Amino acid sequence: MNPIPIRIVCGGQTGADRGAMMAALDRGVPLAGWCPSGRKAEDGKIPSFYPVRELPGSDYPERTLRNVLDSDATCIVRFSDVDAGSKLAAAACRREDKPYLYLDAHELDSDDAADVLETFIRDNAVAVLNISGPRASVHPAAESWTRAALRTCLAALQSGRALPRQ
């Protein structure tokens, strides 16, 4: 298999977004995304080392829509339940006819999730992947779980070898 170049898009919120951004930074994968005006996040201002662009005068729903529009597909991390922002992302994907995948951290460990995500990326020829999911205040493990799953997936995509199938 050939290596698959990919870019990660997300909005910089705490939790799943930050985990995705750290995984991309860990693996040297291009990273972008839109964030609300003022680089707003639940913990204050999104740190400047995260390369997200502000949408002046906007808030979370506009950010979610723009990140869906700027991607080929969306991966939505969940912990059994689906938060409001993730529901909005899924609805935007359906409206824009873009593929999306739910990864349930209660059903999959991060290695199994990496395998499922890698298959989704390959099957849908994804070059730009949006990551969405819960904030840290809703699911404290969202950042570490997302970072581990995405980092493993990105390593496999970069190496050109598929993860071992279970």
Side-chain angles (χ1 to χ4, degrees):
M1 271 186 202
N2 292 326
I4 300 212
I6 193 158
R7 181 166 53 102
I8 301 299
V9 170
C10 58
Q13 184 57 268
T14 64
D17 284 12
R18 299 267 177 96
M21 296 176 102
M22 289 308 300
L25 293 170
D26 291 345
R27 298 295 312 166
V29 170
L31 175 61
W34 294 99
C35 68
S37 181
R39 297 179 68 88
K40 183 172 82 172
E42 75 173 353
D43 63 346
K45 193 171 185 177
I46 297 168
S48 61
F49 62 86
Y50 292 122
V52 292
R53 294 178 292 172
E54 287 183 57
L55 283 165
S58 75
D59 212 335
Y60 297 116
E62 179 65 20
R63 177 246 7 224
T64 298
L65 176 59
R66 290 293 295 270
N67 286 331
V68 166
L69 291 172
D70 284 356
S71 62
D72 299 322
T74 296
C75 171
I76 301 169
V77 173
R78 68 182 194 178
F79 288 72
S80 292
D81 57 329
V82 180
D83 65 279
S86 295
K87 288 177 183 176
L88 183 63
C93 289
R94 287 190 298 273
R95 188 174 54 253
E96 299 300 323
D97 197 28
K98 293 194 177 209
Y100 65 99
L101 168 72
Y102 279 112
L103 284 180
D104 193 330
H106 278 293
E107 293 178 4
L108 299 169
D109 65 27
S110 61
D111 287 337
D112 290 338
D115 182 48
V116 171
L117 182 56
E118 179 199 6
T119 299
F120 174 78
I121 289 166
R122 290 184 188 280
D123 289 352
N124 290 284
V126 176
V128 181
L129 179 67
N130 178 35
I131 304 288
S132 180
R135 299 171 179 212
S137 62
V138 175
H139 287 288
E143 182 175 337
S144 61
W145 188 92
T146 303
R147 185 177 186 177
L150 187 57
R151 186 173 40 207
T152 300
C153 177
L154 292 173
L157 294 171
Q158 290 172 320
S159 73
R161 63 174 172 66
L163 292 168
R165 302 291 178 222
Q166 312 261 325

